[in-house]
Amino acid sequence: MTNLYDFSVLNNVGEIIPLLNYQNKVLLIVNTASACGFTPQYAGIEELYKKYQDQGFEVLAFPCNQFGKQEQGDDNEIKDFCDLNFNISFDLFAKIEVNGENADPLYNYLTDQAKGILGSKTIKWNFTKFLINREGKVIKRFGSIDKPEKIENHVKELLSY
């Protein structure tokens, strides 16, 4: 796979979704967890999504249980948690792995395109975020501590093109 749009992913109800569906959109792709100290970022991500979705901004959330076992529920339980606590309206996908030999191919691609600190491919924790421009190019990787408010100016800039 040589382009983001070559990938397909499984959504939280078991449907295969081609990322080609998101062509010409600015994307924020994030690995999430329900029982993490960063879980409150769901609220800020939802706010960012609501503010810019009409301009072509999409959020793709991928639950992951690889960090402190902080996402133990199944896809239905995760969706219920997100609906009850954050009323998210952005796209939620099936639970995946983001590191290791069972890492989802999309995440292998993302971490190849935007390395972490000291050139590391490894995702360090929940709520690592990747910002993608309208052409499908990975522009920037943000760590768990980077709150959605910090990302907003980057989103606005990409939406202006």
Side-chain angles (χ1 to χ4, degrees):
M1 306 277 181
T2 59
N3 184 299
L4 183 83
Y5 303 127
D6 293 336
F7 293 91
S8 292
V9 291
L10 199 61
N11 71 8
N12 68 317
V13 294
E15 300 167 329
I16 296 172
I17 307 298
L19 292 186
L20 191 60
N21 291 359
Y22 297 96
Q23 195 167 18
N24 300 317
K25 304 276 187 174
V26 171
L27 305 177
L28 184 67
I29 299 176
V30 56
N31 63 300
T32 60
S34 300
C36 176
F38 296 110
T39 301
Q41 286 189 24
Y42 266 127
I45 293 169
E46 174 66 13
E47 186 177 316
L48 196 63
Y49 176 64
K50 289 273 198 186
K51 191 170 183 180
Y52 295 105
Q53 71 179 31
D54 291 342
Q55 296 175 46
F57 178 61
E58 295 289 338
V59 175
L60 286 65
F62 290 88
C64 178
N65 193 40
Q66 287 187 286
F67 307 102
K69 300 198 182 311
Q70 296 179 341
E71 189 62 277
Q72 294 188 25
D74 65 24
D75 290 333
N76 288 330
E77 292 168 327
I78 294 166
K79 175 73 169 136
D80 289 346
F81 172 84
C82 289
D83 288 345
L84 178 66
N85 293 286
F86 300 101
N87 196 28
I88 67 166
S89 57
F90 52 82
D91 292 339
L92 186 63
F93 291 86
K95 187 161 60 170
I96 63 167
E97 290 187 16
V98 299
N99 288 328
E101 66 182 47
N102 295 320
D104 189 272
L106 171 62
Y107 267 81
N108 284 330
Y109 175 80
L110 292 171
T111 57
D112 278 342
Q113 298 299 306
K115 306 255 190 298
I117 295 174
L118 301 176
S120 170
K121 270 189 60 168
T122 305
I123 301 288
K124 301 291 185 215
W125 203 255
N126 304 308
F127 289 88
T128 296
K129 302 155 205 76
F130 293 88
L131 189 60
I132 290 71
N133 71 10
R134 292 183 190 271
E135 290 77 43
K137 182 178 180 203
V138 181
I139 299 300
K140 190 159 176 58
R141 176 178 178 162
F142 296 91
S144 303
I145 62 170
D146 294 321
K147 294 181 180 179
E149 302 82 52
K150 178 181 178 181
I151 298 169
E152 183 172 7
N153 284 335
H154 298 277
V155 170
K156 284 182 355 185
E157 182 180 339
L158 291 179
L159 289 169
S160 70
Y161 296 123

